[in-house]
Amino acid sequence: MSKPIAGLWDCRRHFIKKRSLESIEEFSACKRKSSWGILTSQGSWADRSPLHEAASQGRLLALKTLISQVNATTIDGVTPLFNACSRGSASCVDLLLEYGAKAQLESCLPSPTHEASSKGHSECLDVLISWGIDVDQDIPHLGSPLYVACKSQQIHCIKRLLHAGANVQKGRHLDTPLHAAAQQTSTEIINLLLDFGADINAKNTDYRRPVEVATPSSLVERLLLLYEATPCSLCQLCRLCIRNCIGRSRLHLVPQLQLPKLLKDFLQYRESITNF
């Protein structure tokens, strides 16, 4: 092949290669644009602020620089505080609350407390409780935080809520937390709710008691049947009565009572009833 022809072929190959690369780049750009279009059509993702992103990823330093948008909401009503609770970042939750984030907005909006309770993020729940949230906040379609935690079998969150004075009877409509727990498998949660005074005879909208919604022949059903046949001890009744008289807002003052440490621990469920 002569040199002029060879040179022509080299130029042709170079031109084809260059056009191929340009086509690939154009395709990639179109694909990225298409992908972004998909993302922006997915509701709340489209209007998530950098603050939402930092909170959902637990990036504390980034969150500090964006803190001026504390109560920003997406189209779905999601706040950065909700994102932080969903992620399980207690430090982000604390920082957001410190700078004015509202833990409880309208009842129709996503609730950080319910999110932490359902996901089992007990440390986030501790922070929320320390900032004075209403542990019995009712969301019509979800119920109380305790009810949500019982449905998800998040025992650490259940303990936090009960120790903070959550109403053991407040669930979703007539369904109590004990109804929710009875449909699951944890006897530990059942015992915990009963210790805090759950009414074993409460009836839901279908007029069924907790034992009647439990799986037949299960350990949960056997435990509830046993509890029905066993009278509540005087110690247990006294503890429940005293805690009710003190009231939820003053339970934190129990350690200051002029009582023996053993009794104060008992009132705070730090001492087993079998020791009395």
Side-chain angles (χ1 to χ4, degrees):
M1 183 180 296
S2 66
K3 288 184 179 181
I5 295 176
L8 182 62
W9 276 107
D10 287 340
C11 290
R12 182 182 175 85
R13 282 195 296 267
H14 177 73
F15 176 77
I16 293 173
K17 183 178 181 181
K18 182 179 179 182
R19 289 300 300 157
S20 297
L21 289 173
E22 289 174 351
S23 298
I24 292 172
E25 289 173 356
E26 289 174 2
F27 175 77
S28 298
C30 290
K31 188 175 182 181
R32 285 194 298 270
K33 185 176 180 181
S34 175
S35 298
W36 175 248
I38 293 172
L39 283 175
T40 54
S41 69
Q42 292 177 348
S44 62
W45 180 265
D47 61 342
R48 279 164 63 107
S49 70
L51 191 67
H52 288 95
E53 195 64 31
S56 67
Q57 295 181 12
R59 294 188 282 122
L60 186 59
L61 293 178
L63 195 62
K64 288 181 178 179
T65 65
L66 299 165
I67 207 67
S68 61
Q69 303 181 52
V70 177
N71 289 306
T73 59
T74 66
I75 195 172
D76 296 326
V78 172
T79 63
L81 184 60
F82 180 93
N83 288 138
C85 287
S86 184
R87 175 73 177 185
S89 177
S91 56
C92 286
V93 170
D94 193 41
L95 184 67
L96 286 164
L97 290 168
E98 182 182 348
Y99 280 86
K102 294 181 179 179
Q104 294 164 316
L105 301 173
E106 293 84 355
S107 62
C108 60
L109 296 179
S111 161
T113 306
H114 287 72
E115 181 71 1
S117 300
S118 67
K119 293 285 183 66
H121 297 315
S122 56
E123 291 183 355
C124 292
L125 198 54
D126 280 338
V127 175
L128 291 168
I129 290 171
S130 71
W131 279 84
I133 60 157
D134 178 10
V135 290
D136 288 329
Q137 181 189 12
D138 182 53
I139 302 293
H141 64 287
L142 295 177
S144 68
L146 181 60
Y147 183 82
V148 167
C150 286
K151 283 188 71 70
S152 301
Q153 298 189 85
Q154 302 294 352
I155 189 164
H156 294 297
C157 289
I158 294 170
K159 287 180 178 178
R160 300 293 200 283
L161 291 165
L162 289 173
H163 280 279
N167 186 342
V168 74
Q169 290 302 121
K170 189 173 180 63
R172 186 180 58 150
H173 307 305
L174 293 180
D175 245 23
T176 68
L178 189 58
H179 280 96
Q183 297 176 63
Q184 309 299 331
T185 60
S186 175
T187 55
E188 187 178 2
I189 291 176
I190 297 293
N191 275 320
L192 185 60
L193 293 171
L194 292 173
D195 279 346
F196 275 84
D199 184 2
I200 199 168
N201 292 311
K203 294 182 179 180
N204 61 13
T205 52
D206 296 323
Y207 300 99
R208 301 175 72 189
R209 296 177 297 122
V211 69
E212 295 169 334
V213 301
T215 302
S217 302
S218 65
L219 291 176
V220 167
E221 184 193 51
R222 293 174 191 173
L223 175 60
L224 291 169
L225 288 171
L226 178 63
Y227 190 86
E228 282 185 339
T230 308
C232 196
S233 72
L234 181 59
C235 284
Q236 173 72 341
L237 291 174
C238 287
R239 176 164 61 183
L240 294 172
C241 182
I242 292 171
R243 284 177 63 90
N244 286 334
C245 288
I246 292 173
R248 182 176 71 196
S249 63
R250 293 177 292 181
L251 285 176
H252 67 283
L253 299 176
V254 170
Q256 300 178 30
L257 295 175
Q258 298 300 309
L259 293 172
K261 183 178 183 301
L262 188 65
L263 286 175
K264 289 189 287 187
D265 287 345
F266 179 64
L267 289 175
Q268 297 176 92
Y269 287 86
R270 294 175 180 171
E271 187 67 38
S272 173
I273 198 170
T274 57
N275 295 329
F276 288 83

